[in-house]
Amino acid sequence: MPRAGLGNQTGQAYAFMAMTPVKPGEEAALEAYLHGLRGDGGPSPLAKLSRTHMARFVIVADFYNDKSWKQRKEEHLDLRYLIFTSNLDGDIETYLDELCEKLAPEAQEIWGRCVGCPANPKGQVLKHYLKHNQINTGIFFAAYQDATVPRVKHCLHQRERMIEFAVASQGLEPAALQQAFLHEFGGEA
Amino acid sequence: MAPPVHMDLGDIQGDILRAYGNDYDHTTYAFVHIECPPAQARAWFSGVVDHVTTAEPWTGEKPLTTLNVSVTAAGLRALGVSDAVVGSFSKEFRSGMAARSVLLGDIGPSDPGTWEDGLGTGDVHVLLTINAQERKDHQRALGKMRDAMQKAGGISIVHQEDTEMLPGAREHFGYADGFAQPAVEGSSDARARGGGVPLKGGGWRPLAPGEFILGYPDEDTRADPKQRLPNAPAAPLGRSGTYMVWRKLYQDVARFRRVIRNAAELYEAGDEHLLSAKVVGRWTNGAPLVKYPTKPPADFDAKSEGANDFRYDKDSDGMRCPVGAHVRRSNPRDALGAVKGPGGKVTGFDGHLSFRHRMIRRGMPYGPPLPENVTKDDGTDRGLVFVSFQASISRQFEGVQVQWLNAGNIFGLGHDKDFILGDPDGKGKMTIQGKPPYFLTPQEVFVRTRGGEYLFMPGMSALAALADGTAG
């Protein structure tokens, strides 16, 4: 069951969020690039970070104003903002090290279009930029507080095996069922 | 407490809030393409609008035929509606059904590339729905419709679907169909028991009309002290209209019968009737499994008052009606989010996770029935024309299709999809809870989408504005 924790960490899971203003004139190009990341239906580049449970990019265009709130005056953002969030396993420092190395080609296209991003964004300069723009998490619902990504994947695989076994062995007599079970799963801890 | 809703029935097209009924056995859906300039198209449209039947109750004899009109986003433009007004309609409506095919699971044999001529191509502008009591009246109405088009010029039919009620109001797989409809406040309050929102303590209440008809409070705004209405297209189109989903679904009856017959050999001593009831959650006469788990009452009348008065609180583990049964997925009532606690007490969200996803359905079968007990395909085209009315295609129709029928996660069923409608990916199954549970396989392609459109059925004053060119 997902559980909530205060701050960036719940169990071994960490919630990272960075919010960076988009350079004026770069909004459409950034949006198009993010949309195109999975244009060919292939895996997301975020899949290169094997400790990622879920990560995403969101572009915030503006504040929402509603006349019925009777605000004294409407509020608007001066720039659009890119929000990057990731729920990950373990230590944030090494995760960002990995991100800044493996996502360097994408980082140029993504954060390279944001205000204050250093030229040639990769390695420690990119890490410093992301950490500088980090927004601490107030409350964090972690879907898997203690289970790491490899553990979750393993369990899902086991579940699929068990379902396949249950379907395939449906209707077997007890002795045959036991034999089939031992054949499939015997010897596993 | 929200004030009682008064519905302007004279401004709402007929057959939405109340079905025309079984007297109208014949329905034709004529999909119209406009090639002429907007002014010429509006002249034709004006003549059509004059014959549209409304939701006002008939005082005398029922008309021999009825007519209703819907438009696509392209149709609005063809009638001269501005881009700004078209842009005020929902995104999914403007995109059209074919553009949403991957989301809807219309892939492989249901891919829009395989659809029948005229559907899903952007050619459809207007849908004319004609209902008739007798075949001869039907033919006369169709003849008049064609004459008017010929006279107008630049108007043609790109697809026509003729449907006919099957004996006993069954669909082709043999199940009673179409009788379970949402109860709408101010229109069908009497149907609330079983058709409305299940309340704590066993009661029911009807749904807010804005769930189906635009321009009225919906479940989100009904209690709003500022009396704001839900989002709708720009006036005058945003009042008394509804979004319409139209899908032609081919049914492979022989395949379905073969799979159930073969699978039943391993199930409950070959009880084929029980197995087919488990798939749908109702016996073929419509009796709900959750109330009648071992056999249906022979005299069950699906249309009788209270026939749909059931909920799943006593069956949270699906031992009576499987958690993945078709009717339980399509309308989970109080089942979503229900948790069995100590002492077997079930708590949860009552109907709060499902009541924003209801649809009014007006489907009709097409094609002749496959004779009883035949398990070899005869090559005849048969199936169901699925029609639904709702205020939001994405929240209601697509929500049910994508989250409830094509996925199992929300019900704790893993990859299981709806056994009849879900895209099986070649390895699907249905889990039928029991001791032990039964896994129904193989899940083959029993239903294929042959075409579809997202439409908007305007209110009467909106139709008049479209005909006059004053819709904006």
Side-chain angles (χ1 to χ4, degrees), chain B residues 325-402:
Chain B
H326 177 71
V327 300
R328 191 163 172 167
R329 281 176 176 268
S330 310
N331 178 15
R333 298 171 182 242
D334 58 334
L336 261 186
V339 176
K340 204 178 211 176
K345 185 175 165 53
V346 175
T347 55
F349 296 93
D350 299 291
H352 285 99
L353 295 183
S354 55
F355 75 127
R356 302 295 317 271
H357 306 280
R358 303 294 306 281
M359 296 173 272
I360 295 171
R361 293 175 301 119
R362 296 280 179 257
M364 282 285 277
Y366 72 89
L370 185 69
E372 216 170 322
N373 292 321
V374 171
T375 54
K376 191 171 174 223
D377 186 34
D378 62 355
T380 302
D381 188 19
R382 61 173 61 84
L384 182 82
V385 166
F386 170 94
V387 172
S388 69
F389 297 115
Q390 54 271 300
S392 165
I393 292 174
S394 60
R395 190 183 77 234
Q396 291 159 287
F397 166 70
E398 290 184 346
V400 171
Q401 179 77 17
V402 176

Side-chain angles (χ1 to χ4, degrees), chain B residues 136-462:
Chain B
K136 63 180 188 328
D137 306 321
H138 191 226
Q139 291 306 322
R140 192 164 49 234
L142 289 174
K144 274 188 183 173
M145 177 183 76
R146 286 199 196 92
D147 289 347
M149 284 182 197
Q150 203 165 16
K151 199 173 157 196
I155 313 279
S156 58
I157 295 176
V158 290
H159 187 89
Q160 181 174 324
E161 207 58 54
D162 298 318
T163 64
E164 200 168 309
M165 194 83 80
L166 294 178
R170 302 283 174 116
E171 53 70 62
H172 281 288
F173 289 143
Y175 300 92
D177 189 32
F179 53 86
Q181 300 287 354
V184 184
E185 186 182 337
S187 170
S188 50
D189 303 61
R191 226 172 22 219
R193 197 152 61 91
V197 181
L199 302 172
K200 272 190 168 65
W204 298 80
R205 67 164 174 80
L207 285 143
E211 293 294 307
F212 310 100
I213 306 291
L214 298 168
Y216 289 89
D218 68 7
E219 287 293 337
D220 196 32
T221 61
R222 66 187 302 157
D224 182 358
K226 291 178 181 155
Q227 301 288 296
R228 284 173 298 196
L229 293 173
N231 287 339
L237 297 177
R239 186 167 169 80
S240 302
T242 182
Y243 287 107
M244 175 181 184
V245 172
W246 191 99
R247 280 162 84 73
K248 181 177 180 182
L249 304 171
Y250 165 78
Q251 291 176 266
D252 192 338
V253 178
R255 184 183 298 270
F256 182 71
R257 286 180 186 168
R258 281 198 307 271
V259 166
I260 295 295
R261 186 157 296 176
N262 292 339
E265 286 175 15
L266 275 178
Y267 181 73
E268 298 286 329
D271 194 338
E272 192 178 325
H273 295 293
L274 178 61
L275 185 58
S276 58
K278 292 278 188 182
V279 168
V280 164
R282 292 182 186 270
W283 298 91
T284 49
N285 69 0
L289 260 184
V290 72
K291 276 177 93 167
Y292 310 103
T294 52
K295 67 173 187 181
D299 58 350
F300 181 79
D301 177 5
K303 286 188 184 149
S304 63
E305 198 185 332
N308 287 302
D309 185 6
F310 62 91
R311 49 179 82 197
Y312 299 109
D313 56 339
K314 304 275 192 301
D315 188 39
S316 59
D317 47 11
M319 299 300 272
R320 290 175 163 223
C321 175
V323 176
H326 177 71
V327 300
R328 191 163 172 167
R329 281 176 176 268
S330 310
N331 178 15
R333 298 171 182 242
D334 58 334
L336 261 186
V339 176
K340 204 178 211 176
K345 185 175 165 53
V346 175
T347 55
F349 296 93
D350 299 291
H352 285 99
L353 295 183
S354 55
F355 75 127
R356 302 295 317 271
H357 306 280
R358 303 294 306 281
M359 296 173 272
I360 295 171
R361 293 175 301 119
R362 296 280 179 257
M364 282 285 277
Y366 72 89
L370 185 69
E372 216 170 322
N373 292 321
V374 171
T375 54
K376 191 171 174 223
D377 186 34
D378 62 355
T380 302
D381 188 19
R382 61 173 61 84
L384 182 82
V385 166
F386 170 94
V387 172
S388 69
F389 297 115
Q390 54 271 300
S392 165
I393 292 174
S394 60
R395 190 183 77 234
Q396 291 159 287
F397 166 70
E398 290 184 346
V400 171
Q401 179 77 17
V402 176
Q403 301 293 337
W404 292 355
L405 297 178
N406 267 338
N409 221 22
I410 197 166
F411 303 110
L413 291 170
H415 299 312
D416 281 11
K417 300 175 179 183
D418 186 88
F419 193 72
I420 295 174
L421 285 176
D423 160 48
D425 296 340
K427 56 174 185 179
K429 68 168 180 0
M430 176 178 176
T431 305
I432 296 174
Q433 287 78 24
K435 292 179 180 174
Y438 179 74
F439 301 108
L440 174 56
T441 59
Q443 184 175 11
E444 299 186 7
V445 179
F446 304 114
V447 174
R448 294 201 298 266
T449 309
R450 303 298 303 129
E453 297 286 347
Y454 284 165
L455 301 127
F456 180 70
M457 187 175 269
M460 297 305 292
S461 46

